[in-house]
């Protein structure tokens, strides 16, 4: 089963959307394996967003993502990475489809509520940045036989 990393960013926390995001993941059938709220340190944020180091928005992205508590989540399920990216929607919430998290709750690219891994490789890397393996619980959901054929 695939794992993905999801973050409710500081704006999502301040706007009381943590429950909404988790609820959507759970109802989809995705399983939460680990969850924690913390204010991401600058160096951790730098590692998390390393691919954007040369972008003009990098510094403001770091300032924003470290500005307050965010919620980090390890999620597991069939095709979790692409399923969650679809649930999250386009990077710019103004262009994100209605029904997606960004399309339902956001307006600005710099305040787009959630992060989700874009590949299984990114997921592995991001999970290892925010969690140690002992933070992650493997267990069965009681509805798994109704979620999977
Ligand atoms: P993603 O979050 O949809 O994967 P990326 O292109 O990987 O989008 O960008 C990472 C994050 O950087 C975005 O979620 C957003 O918070 C921020 N970001 C991306 N492009 C811009 C921009 O043009 N201006 C301001 N912030 C941006
Ligand atoms: Mg990205």
């Amino acid at each position: 089963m695939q794992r993905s990393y999801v973050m409710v960013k500081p704006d999502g926390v301040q706007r009381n959307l943590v429950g909404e995001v988790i609820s959507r993941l759970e109802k989809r059938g995705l399983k939460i394996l680990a969850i924690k709220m913390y204010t991401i340190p600058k160096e951790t944020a730098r590692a998390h967003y390393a691919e954007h180091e040369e972008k003009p928005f990098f510094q403001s992205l770091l300032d924003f993502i470290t500005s307050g508590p965010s919620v980090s989540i390890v999620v597991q399920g069939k095709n979790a990475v692409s399923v969650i990216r679809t649930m999250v929607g386009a990077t710019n919430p103004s262009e994100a489809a209605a029904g997606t998290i960004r399309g339902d709750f956001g307006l600005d690219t710099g305040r787009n509520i959630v992060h989700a891994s874009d590949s299984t490789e990114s997921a592995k890397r991001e999970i290892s940045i925010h969690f140690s393996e002992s933070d992650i619980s493997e267990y069965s959901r009681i509805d798994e036989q109704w979620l999977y054929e």
Side-chain angles (χ1 to χ4, degrees):
M1 262 323 148
Q2 226 170 60
R3 286 180 180 182
S4 187
Y5 168 78
V6 176
M7 183 202 302
V8 183
K9 296 180 180 183
D11 56 332
V13 171
Q14 294 300 327
R15 294 184 53 215
N16 297 315
L17 292 170
V18 175
E20 175 72 34
V21 171
I22 291 171
S23 183
R24 286 181 180 220
L25 296 170
E26 286 182 327
K27 286 176 185 163
R28 186 66 188 267
L30 294 158
K31 181 158 62 183
I32 311 292
L33 300 191
I35 187 162
K36 74 171 168 187
M37 174 183 272
Y38 77 127
T39 299
I40 297 177
K42 271 265 155 61
E43 282 318 301
T44 307
R46 205 178 282 282
H48 175 91
Y49 279 125
E51 65 171 307
H52 296 303
E53 213 163 345
E54 306 301 328
K55 306 274 171 64
F57 58 82
F58 186 63
Q59 192 53 51
S60 65
L61 177 60
L62 284 193
D63 290 343
F64 163 62
I65 218 74
T66 60
S67 66
S70 55
V71 173
S72 283
I73 311 168
V74 179
V75 183
Q76 184 172 277
K78 188 173 185 180
N79 298 318
V81 169
S82 65
V83 163
I84 296 169
R85 287 288 288 193
T86 302
M87 291 172 76
V88 163
T91 304
N92 181 349
S94 299
E95 292 163 8
T100 65
I101 296 168
R102 289 168 173 168
D104 286 348
F105 301 115
L107 290 168
D108 193 20
T109 303
R111 298 290 183 271
N112 62 5
I113 306 149
V114 277
H115 166 88
S117 307
D118 63 6
S119 66
T120 52
E121 295 72 37
S122 303
K124 207 166 179 231
R125 194 184 71 82
E126 292 166 2
I127 289 168
S128 74
I129 288 173
H130 299 279
F131 293 95
S132 55
E133 200 54 39
S134 62
D135 296 327
I136 298 171
S137 299
E138 284 277 6
Y139 62 98
S140 296
R141 274 174 60 146
I142 59 164
D143 58 357
E144 269 169 29
Q145 62 174 311
W146 303 106
L147 281 165
Y148 296 110
E149 190 173 29

